[in-house]
Amino acid sequence: MAQGAGRAIWQAVSVLLLAVAVAAFLSVAAVRHGFFDLQVYYGALNFWVHGGGEIYDYLRPLTQYGFTYPPFAALVMLPMAYVPWAAAIAISVTATVVVTALVFWWLIDPIARRAGWTRWYALAVALCLAAAFEPMRETVNFGQVNMLLLFLVAVDLLRLLPAGNRWAGIGIGLATAIKLTPGIFIVYLLVTRRWRAAFTAMATAAGASLLAGALFPNASREFWTEALWNTGRVGELAFVSNQSLRGVVARLDPQHPSTVAWLVLVLGTLALWAWRSRAAVAAGDEATGLALTGAVMCLVSPVTWVHHLVWLLPALILLVDNAMAAPGGSRRRRLLLVAALVGYALLSSRIVWFWEKDFTGVDGFLGSNTYVWISLALLAFLPVRRAVAPGGSPVEAAGVAQLDQVDGGTPVGERHRIGRPFTVG
């Protein structure tokens, strides 16, 4: 009892100290954006509801930025027009924290159980580290919807689809109707031949869009015929915050970026993604499929601002998961932990901003695209896990499958006696 209480006290103190350290880091490193994007949503909705204008005609004063999401997103955000600004901020931050905690729980809980960590402690540490992660802090500071979309997709891919639930696909469909880029997860379902979930996602996205069209015909007409194609509303492609393949090409020649070069890169990246995603699903590894598709979405989207890179979080967590599943002290464990640490550190460092004003030269090419290189590395090298352990991490069963080969079929219940780090369930 005393030992357990001492451990709990030590963990609580260490989480508190970590939180203080993260707060100190944020006070120095975090850029205050004043909920800029949330102000755009809030202003556009109020202009539309109370000002008598069309939502896509609104531009935030003294900027070129307006509401760029489909009409269904406007329907989802509509209550924002009826609450004070402070309440809108509170709702945005609270929703982001809650859905982040849920997604992290689904991904981290198996690691904690296998490693023997206290589960609340593992989650608390992960959330503290997430607060320091640049894409996450940018998401919160801008008032963005990235984690809400990741949550909707994760509900499908981490909960409903592995359970064979017939409603799998609804979350992806809703995410696509809110913002078009998650539509690549519909392609993921098609590429991996989960036809029912793919059609459910397509039907959901279409139904939500038609509902918004019926309720707001003028806004829908303007979005699909004009606003969607007005690329000037989203910002400069060569801006260093655009960490996509399109951004890489644009920074090579900001005045005349090569569309052909970009398309060639996109096609090659999609081919790699399709091959690796099919391998992941064939192995029963839906979490890695989610991570790979999140990475490729960031790469092939014409515009991937830094805050969009929260979609890389599942891949970084899975690097740790795979590392902890490897034998203690093994080269594989060290390599995967170092990869996760380096990726996390760079993505928390604001390193690309050193080249914000001048991204010319070899150093500019390499440094200003650092987050793109990380996305590509995760897409190419994130391990695919070989099987799913009932009620546990897919990595566990992968380890057991390897042990079956090494140990000549040693019974699972005996493996703890020969020093193996893997367990089942």
Side-chain angles (χ1 to χ4, degrees):
M1 179 70 73
Q3 183 179 4
R7 183 187 187 194
I9 292 172
W10 179 87
Q11 289 177 338
V13 170
S14 64
V15 168
L16 179 61
L17 292 175
L18 179 59
V20 170
V22 168
F25 171 76
L26 293 177
S27 69
V28 175
V31 177
R32 304 292 188 269
H33 298 293
F35 299 97
F36 183 95
D37 289 0
L38 189 64
Q39 286 187 37
V40 172
Y41 311 151
Y42 190 81
L45 288 163
N46 277 279
F47 176 74
W48 186 36
V49 174
H50 304 299
E54 285 296 338
I55 190 168
Y56 296 107
D57 293 338
Y58 173 84
L59 292 178
R60 189 177 186 274
L62 305 179
T63 77
Q64 65 191 39
Y65 297 103
F67 194 86
T68 58
Y69 294 167
F72 182 70
L75 175 61
V76 173
M77 297 181 187
L78 193 58
M80 195 184 301
Y82 299 96
V83 300
W85 171 238
I89 294 175
I91 292 169
S92 173
V93 173
T94 301
T96 296
V97 171
V98 169
V99 298
T100 300
L102 286 170
V103 173
F104 275 29
W105 180 259
W106 295 336
L107 290 169
I108 292 171
D109 184 56
I111 313 175
R113 287 189 291 106
R114 184 178 57 253
W117 301 337
T118 305
R119 294 155 81 180
W120 74 264
Y121 177 68
L123 179 62
V125 169
L127 290 174
C128 286
L129 294 176
F133 189 65
E134 184 182 357
M136 178 64 76
R137 64 185 192 244
E138 294 280 282
T139 286
V140 174
N141 284 332
F142 273 115
Q144 262 286 341
V145 299
N146 305 305
M147 285 306 301
L148 301 175
L149 300 178
L150 176 52
F151 168 75
L152 288 173
V153 172
V155 168
D156 273 344
L157 298 188
L158 299 182
R159 313 307 291 179
L160 299 183
L161 200 59
N165 192 296
R166 64 192 182 95
W167 298 106
I170 285 184
I172 292 172
L174 289 174
T176 303
I178 292 171
K179 187 175 182 178
L180 299 180
T181 47
I184 195 168
F185 285 92
I186 298 178
V187 182
Y188 165 72
L189 294 174
L190 292 171
V191 165
T192 54
R193 301 180 181 179
R194 269 76 64 78
W195 309 117
R196 183 188 183 107
F199 290 134
T200 298
M202 287 188 284
T204 301
S209 300
L210 289 173
L211 174 62
L215 294 174
F216 316 124
N218 292 334
S220 296
R221 186 182 310 110
E222 185 172 358
F223 175 79
W224 295 108
T225 60
E226 296 182 30
L228 175 61
W229 314 105
N230 184 1
T231 57
R233 295 166 64 93
V234 299
E236 175 59 44
L237 290 176
F239 184 41
V240 74
S241 182
N242 184 14
Q243 291 292 304
S244 68
L245 293 172
R246 185 63 161 162
V248 172
V249 172
R251 282 186 285 277
L252 289 173
D253 186 357
Q255 300 304 317
H256 305 95
S258 172
T259 300
V260 172
W262 172 58
L263 290 175
V264 169
L265 289 172
V266 165
L267 289 175
T269 302
L270 287 174
L272 174 62
W273 162 73
W275 172 61
R276 299 219 66 218
S277 294
R278 292 188 62 146
V281 171
D285 188 1
E286 207 68 67
T288 297
L290 164 64
L292 293 173
T293 307
V296 83
M297 182 179 71
C298 294
L299 288 165
V300 304
S301 174
V303 175
T304 297
W305 302 134
V306 168
H307 57 76
H308 294 142
L309 296 174
V310 295
W311 289 93
L312 299 184
L313 280 169
L316 293 175
I317 293 171
L318 290 176
L319 281 178
V320 177
D321 195 351
N322 280 277
M324 298 309 297
S330 66
R331 182 174 179 271
R332 176 180 174 84
R333 173 176 284 196
R334 291 194 300 270
L335 181 62
L336 290 172
L337 286 177
V338 168
L341 178 61
V342 170
Y344 170 81
L346 288 173
L347 283 164
S348 302
S349 67
R350 288 185 55 82
I351 189 171
V352 299
W353 297 97
F354 286 111
W355 292 273
E356 179 182 4
K357 303 299 183 183
D358 182 9
F359 37 74
T360 59
V362 175
D363 67 310
F365 175 72
L366 296 175
S368 70
N369 299 308
T370 298
Y371 300 167
V372 179
W373 311 142
I374 294 173
S375 298
L376 283 169
L378 291 170
L379 177 63
F381 300 113
L382 181 67
V384 170
R385 301 164 308 174
R386 301 302 174 191
V388 176
S393 167
V395 178
E396 297 172 4
V400 171
Q402 293 170 1
L403 291 175
D404 282 336
Q405 297 174 3
V406 173
D407 298 335
T410 303
V412 170
E414 297 296 317
R415 286 182 179 135
H416 69 282
R417 297 195 295 191
I418 57 175
R420 300 298 184 182
F422 302 103
T423 58
V424 173

